Amino acid sequence: MLRIEDVKLAVVGLGYVGLPLAVEFGKKRPVLGFDINKRRIDELKEGRDHTLEVEDDDLAAAVHLRYSHDPESLAEANVFIVTVPTPIDKYKQPDLTPLIRASETIGRVLKRGDVVIYESTVYPGATEEVCVPVLESVSGLRFNEDFYAGYSPERINPGDKNHRVTNIRKVTSGSTPEVAELVDSLYADIIVAGTHKAPSIRVAEAAKVIENTQRDVNIALINELALIFNRLGIDTQAVLEAAGTKWNFLPFRPGLVGGHCIGVDPYYLTHKAQSIGYHPEIILAGRRLNDSMGSYVVSQLIKAMTKRRIQVQGSRVLVMGLTFKENCPDLRNTRVVDIVSELAEYNIDVDVYDPWVDPEEAVQEYGIKPVNEPAQGAYDGIVIAVAHKQFCEMGAARIRALGKPEHVLYDLKYVLTADEADIRL
């Protein structure tokens, strides 16, 4: 069994999750940061991170971190941490392709005594039912005899500069008690918030997948309340502020639910539940409601435009924000695209403005080309879809100046006060 002092670490996948982790380890021990994207490796070697998750100073401080896109370089490692994406496909089924490909890559260099730790979000059982068989098949080695596995779910919150990898408590687990201890000790070296050693890999997997499922269901409840209050002519934000004066009222807000976790993880859990013959009611109902919010927003905008006798067909609407959350460039699973596509169904000319996004990435991912600057006095409708700090700083007057003399301003994110916007969610 490996000793902690003999660990030669490699982090496989250097995105929003892998890079911050590799950097923190790289401040203390030799680490190989691996990614199949050569462009990503080149920018990191130049000391830049386009995701903005790691500052240039932190990159420079990781003096023991090396980067490579050559799979053969992984042969020097004996502990691998896998941090690749786990998305859903167009049918909302788990897409484990990146996880399987990473396991195949590691399997080709896997040696006796090695440990593979997964951080990617999966359904309970996936590590040992999907990933481990791939490692066995490619390497020819036997699980828990020749090599071992661990699972330590990521808890990265993109764009959050307060909750970082080191100050968020880490759940750890291993395929044997000895491996669990090694995995826990490895993470404890960098996690100042401490660790929680789960009794099994399956428990750790389940803990991760319910963290965001719980948030999804809570947001779905608030979204449904917003639909009710809108019909009653009551301002939802005012209701939530009043209810929030009670000490145990949870501070959720209505809105679009996207991103790499909350809008995805519940489908991993429901997939597994259905495979064992159980049909989840509450979880899937919450998903349906949250996924319908883009369509609801557009229907409210169209109704408001029609009441003001603004011609809908051929009109021009500005959507402010494209990322899945404020103050970060992350476009993964953003539900703002639902608004854009729904508006297009009405033959509306849509401009999308987001100072945080990479225009090339937006075109590649969604076929949306953001405008560099929105036109002044040009829009029949304006939708504030993301609460970027730039939009908050603009204020109502400057945002209104983008609209025609007669226009509708829809504020989804409570950037403005109730009397400054025409509609609030």
Side-chain angles (χ1 to χ4, degrees), residues 61-102:
V63 294
H64 304 295
L65 174 59
R66 298 183 299 107
Y67 304 103
S68 175
H69 62 89
D70 179 6
E72 293 184 4
S73 64
L74 291 168
E76 67 189 55
N78 54 22
V79 174
F80 308 86
I81 299 180
V82 181
T83 58
V84 297
T86 44
I88 53 175
D89 62 21
K90 63 180 180 179
Y91 303 109
K92 302 189 186 304
Q93 293 297 304
D95 180 5
L96 297 177
T97 303
L99 206 55
I100 292 169
R101 295 288 179 265

Side-chain angles (χ1 to χ4, degrees), residues 106-422:
I106 293 170
R108 296 186 188 102
V109 299
L110 201 63
K111 306 174 295 299
R112 283 181 171 79
D114 287 359
V115 178
V116 185
I117 306 167
Y118 292 90
E119 286 212 3
S120 306
T121 300
V122 292
Y123 52 77
T127 298
E128 291 159 299
E129 296 167 7
V130 177
C131 301
V132 164
V134 172
L135 294 171
E136 286 185 315
S137 175
V138 175
S139 69
L141 300 176
R142 293 167 298 182
F143 179 50
N144 276 347
E145 292 183 26
D146 301 321
F147 74 93
Y148 307 90
Y151 186 78
S152 181
E154 60 89 4
R155 282 175 164 171
I156 292 293
N157 186 25
D160 189 337
K161 299 305 180 184
N162 295 316
H163 300 96
R164 311 301 294 164
V165 64
T166 57
N167 61 19
I168 301 174
R169 195 171 184 191
K170 201 84 163 73
V171 174
T172 67
S173 65
S175 56
T176 70
E178 295 78 15
V179 172
E181 187 60 37
L182 174 70
V183 172
D184 195 72
S185 298
L186 181 64
Y187 281 105
D189 196 35
I190 64 166
I191 307 296
V192 297
T195 60
H196 173 88
K197 187 164 58 176
S200 70
I201 286 176
R202 288 166 63 89
V203 167
E205 291 168 327
K208 167 57 181 174
V209 82
I210 72 164
E211 289 175 11
N212 291 309
T213 299
Q214 183 187 66
R215 286 181 55 78
D216 191 45
V217 170
N218 275 301
I219 295 171
L221 171 62
I222 302 301
N223 274 335
E224 187 162 62
L225 292 175
L227 304 187
I228 296 170
F229 295 145
N230 285 345
R231 291 193 175 198
L232 293 173
I234 301 172
D235 183 70
T236 303
Q237 177 70 357
V239 174
L240 294 177
E241 288 175 355
T245 59
K246 190 167 185 278
W247 77 92
N248 60 353
F249 186 82
L250 302 177
F252 289 95
R253 291 293 182 269
L256 307 175
V257 183
H260 70 298
C261 285
I262 301 179
V264 172
D265 294 1
Y267 288 119
Y268 275 76
L269 183 57
T270 57
H271 167 81
K272 185 64 176 180
Q274 289 168 333
S275 74
I276 58 172
Y278 180 79
H279 180 76
E281 300 287 351
I282 294 175
I283 298 171
L284 286 175
R287 278 282 74 233
R288 287 193 297 271
L289 198 149
N290 285 340
D291 279 347
S292 72
M293 290 306 292
S295 177
Y296 174 77
V297 166
V298 172
S299 70
Q300 291 295 97
L301 178 66
I302 297 301
K303 186 183 297 183
M305 291 172 65
T306 302
K307 285 182 177 179
R308 295 194 178 192
R309 302 185 184 279
I310 298 173
Q311 176 67 36
V312 174
Q313 279 203 340
S315 63
R316 195 172 178 189
V317 170
L318 174 67
V319 176
M320 299 179 67
L322 181 59
T323 61
F324 90 88
K325 66 178 294 188
E326 66 275 5
N327 304 326
C328 81
D330 196 345
L331 287 172
R332 290 174 295 174
N333 194 40
T334 174
R335 301 287 24 112
V336 179
V337 297
D338 296 343
I339 295 175
V340 175
S341 60
E342 188 78 9
L343 288 170
E345 291 290 320
Y346 288 89
N347 294 322
I348 293 173
D349 183 14
V350 184
D351 281 354
V352 176
Y353 172 58
D354 193 321
W356 283 85
V357 306
D358 178 347
E360 291 184 11
E361 185 181 356
V363 172
Q364 181 179 345
E365 291 294 322
Y366 302 109
I368 296 173
K369 185 177 182 180
V371 298
N372 292 327
E373 289 290 339
Q376 295 289 311
Y379 300 102
D380 300 286
I382 301 170
V383 179
I384 305 175
V386 186
H388 289 317
K389 61 183 180 182
Q390 290 93 332
F391 302 159
C392 297
E393 291 167 355
M394 284 177 71
R398 288 176 60 195
I399 293 174
R400 287 280 190 190
L402 301 172
K404 294 177 180 178
E406 187 66 38
H407 66 271
V408 175
L409 175 55
Y410 197 154
D411 181 10
L412 301 188
K413 302 298 292 185
Y414 303 106
V415 168
L416 308 175
T417 61
D419 59 341
E420 289 175 328
D422 298 313

